[in-house]
Amino acid sequence: METPVKAPLLALLTGTTVSLAGTAMTALSIPWFVLHTTGSPAQTGLVAAAGVAGLTVSSALSGPIVDRIQPRLVSIGSDLVAAVLVGLIPTLALAGALPLWALVLVVALQGLTRAPGATAEDALLPSAARVAGVPIARASSWQEGAARTGRFLGGALVGVLIALLGPAQVLYVDSASYLVSVLMTAVFVRVHLERDEPKPWSVAGHLTELREGLSYLRGDGLLAAVVSMVMITNMLDGAYTSVLLPTFGDRVLHSSVLLGVLVGTSTAAALAGVIAYGAIGGRLPKWGTYAVAFLLAGAPRLVVMAAAPPLAVLVTTIAVTSFAFGAINPILLSQLFARVPETMRGRVFGVVSAGALAGMPVGALLGGAVVELFGLTSALLLSAALYLTVTMCPFVFRVWRRLDEPVPV
């Protein structure tokens, strides 16, 4: 039976939602597990840094692979390996055979699987959208909405599941989510990309293709500015997600359930922001929207958290700042899809992902060290000051005005 034309796009979005729900659980359950096992924010940062380091390395290497192999096969293979590795963590923990070095190793290996799958999904989206007859700007907004929905479901459930099952056992749920994503991609996502004739693989050739992606990126001043800014903000977000937020839940909220409330509120508000931008974003100036949204999304939540206000104030602040964040990625994704030729997307997207992620291991390590040495409040305020400095850049440098240039839809 012929696959309906919209099935590949719907399956791609569904698989993104399911797998990211599990990934959101992992993002909190592993730090919570390390904190409660070792009591050390520094060791928590080390484990998180290992995972993001693996993700960063694979981002640099995955682009030429996706350009050489059909992205559908890359996505399936990455999710299968990830399912095995994530399921291995609770299995070893239950057997009493998971020392810190082993956890660092498994998390790093699991990080290596994430970028090929994510790059493949990004490369598949324009073709799936074209088959479905959906403009790429709308499809990219839907993809961001699917990702936010997955993170919301994972964030809303993880606190309760940690309380009921324990932080290690929650990872079995994550492992199952990767298998669901494999099934959706294997059965329904049957699209192929236009590509140049592949060359025989070699280390030199692989590095050449990476240089081609980097050269294309450097030739577009706006895309280079995007990667530079996001690399720094992701470094700060790496510290926030991996160390500051779990430590805040442990030392200030004293509850994995309340921590889940914060994460669920953040992802729900960000999803609302994505939906709102999808509805009216076409009528808004992209530069002004991006600049104001990033300014609101960064520093304010960190300052409020440092003050340890009542829960209602905290939840409201997280909701407002996360709603603002919902407009950022759809703007950036639509720029990438419009500015990068289809035959170059694997190479360029891989370099973009690696650049955006390069600061996150550093952020996780530094975040853990700063909390260990100076305390949580000092770490939150320092992060807020750095975030404010970076998010002023779109107001200062004119290259960001190019966001308002007309792009194909």
Side-chain angles (χ1 to χ4, degrees):
M1 184 173 66
E2 186 177 353
T3 302
V5 294
K6 291 190 177 180
L9 180 59
L10 293 175
L12 193 62
L13 297 175
T14 302
T16 296
T17 299
V18 173
S19 64
L20 285 179
T23 301
M25 296 182 193
T26 302
L28 282 181
S29 58
I30 289 181
W32 194 268
F33 171 74
V34 178
L35 270 175
H36 278 254
T37 301
T38 68
S40 170
Q43 292 189 29
T44 302
L46 174 63
V47 173
V52 183
L55 174 59
T56 304
V57 170
S58 64
S59 294
L61 299 177
S62 63
I65 295 174
V66 173
D67 278 340
R68 190 177 304 278
I69 305 172
Q70 281 295 335
R72 174 175 172 270
L73 299 179
V74 175
S75 177
I76 292 171
S78 297
D79 284 345
L80 276 174
V81 176
V84 173
L85 290 170
V86 172
L88 188 61
I89 296 174
T91 301
L92 292 175
L94 290 172
L98 191 64
L100 181 64
W101 68 264
L103 179 59
V104 169
L105 177 61
V106 174
V107 169
L109 291 174
Q110 192 267 335
L112 287 172
T113 70
R114 290 172 56 192
T119 302
E121 289 174 3
D122 285 344
L124 284 168
L125 181 66
S127 296
R130 184 171 59 247
V131 169
V134 176
I136 186 57
R138 183 177 300 170
S140 63
S141 182
W142 288 356
Q143 185 190 42
E144 180 65 13
R148 296 287 177 186
T149 300
R151 294 187 185 105
F152 164 70
L153 294 174
L157 291 173
V158 67
V160 175
L161 289 177
I162 287 174
L164 292 176
L165 305 176
Q169 289 83 342
V170 169
L171 296 174
Y172 282 127
V173 180
D174 187 14
S175 180
S177 74
Y178 283 110
L179 295 178
V180 172
S181 181
V182 167
L183 180 64
M184 298 297 296
T185 304
V187 174
F188 296 108
V189 182
R190 297 183 177 275
V191 296
H192 295 271
L193 271 69
E194 298 176 6
R195 61 189 62 251
D196 297 329
E197 187 67 25
K199 305 170 186 176
W201 188 91
S202 67
V203 173
H206 194 96
L207 294 176
T208 297
E209 291 177 3
L210 285 176
R211 284 195 294 270
E212 289 172 358
L214 180 61
S215 176
Y216 188 92
L217 183 65
R218 293 174 63 184
D220 188 308
L222 177 59
L223 295 184
V226 165
V227 174
S228 299
M229 180 174 178
V230 173
M231 179 173 65
I232 299 173
T233 58
N234 276 1
M235 179 184 72
L236 299 172
D237 287 336
Y240 174 79
T241 303
S242 302
V243 181
L244 302 183
L245 184 60
T247 305
F248 185 85
D250 185 41
R251 296 183 180 179
V252 179
L253 300 177
H254 308 291
S255 168
S256 66
V257 176
L258 292 180
L259 179 61
V261 169
L262 289 189
V263 175
T265 298
S266 176
T267 50
L271 175 60
V274 170
I275 294 171
Y277 183 80
I280 67 172
R283 300 191 292 273
L284 298 175
K286 291 183 176 60
W287 167 67
T289 303
Y290 174 88
V292 172
F294 231 142
L295 185 65
L296 292 175
R301 58 181 168 146
L302 298 166
V303 173
V304 171
M305 287 175 65
L311 184 62
V313 175
L314 183 61
V315 169
T316 300
T317 301
I318 294 294
V320 171
T321 57
S322 298
F323 181 86
F325 192 82
I328 296 171
N329 279 356
I331 293 174
L332 297 184
L333 283 172
S334 63
Q335 292 291 318
L336 281 170
F337 290 136
R339 292 174 180 273
V340 180
E342 190 170 88
T343 55
M344 287 287 295
R345 281 179 186 149
R347 279 163 280 187
V348 175
F349 287 9
V351 173
V352 168
S353 296
L357 293 168
M360 292 188 74
V362 178
L365 286 171
L366 291 179
V370 172
V371 172
E372 193 96 15
L373 293 174
F374 303 107
L376 178 61
T377 300
S378 296
L380 288 167
L381 292 175
L382 175 61
S383 183
L386 293 172
Y387 225 123
L388 178 61
T389 301
V390 174
T391 52
M392 290 301 297
C393 289
F395 295 97
V396 175
F397 298 105
R398 295 189 61 84
V399 66
W400 292 98
R401 308 292 179 94
R402 292 181 57 194
L403 286 169
D404 284 330
E405 292 177 354
V407 294
V409 296

